[in-house]
Amino acid sequence: MSTTPTSHDGALTYAIRVQGRIGHRWSAWFEGLDISSAEDGTTTIQGVVADQAALHGLLHKVRDVGLPIVSVTQVATDHTHTTTTEGL
């Protein structure tokens, strides 16, 4: 499913779910985004991302630490649509 993101200032909230567990100390590496681990062995990195270039930068950081991406989800807010990409 794909929709065009809409936001007045370009900043959107994303949740990047990865396979594996990383600690909260990695938050600084991921530009201060929230990090939470699930019992299924995945970790979600979530927060406001300034624009598409910043999102791609975050995805490069995930790649650089060798974490397999499970999904990237645009989290809906009052004035945005939701986009999910599973199984990257």
Side-chain angles (χ1 to χ4, degrees), residues 35-84:
I35 295 177
S36 60
S37 296
E39 290 186 24
D40 65 357
T42 63
T43 298
T44 300
I45 304 163
Q46 181 172 325
V48 176
V49 179
D51 55 25
Q52 286 292 301
L55 175 61
H56 284 272
L58 284 169
L59 295 173
H60 284 230
K61 286 184 174 198
V62 170
R63 179 205 58 205
D64 290 348
V65 293
L67 296 169
I69 297 172
V70 175
S71 66
V72 176
T73 304
Q74 180 187 327
V75 179
T77 61
D78 292 354
H79 54 280
T80 62
H81 300 288
T82 300
T83 301
T84 302

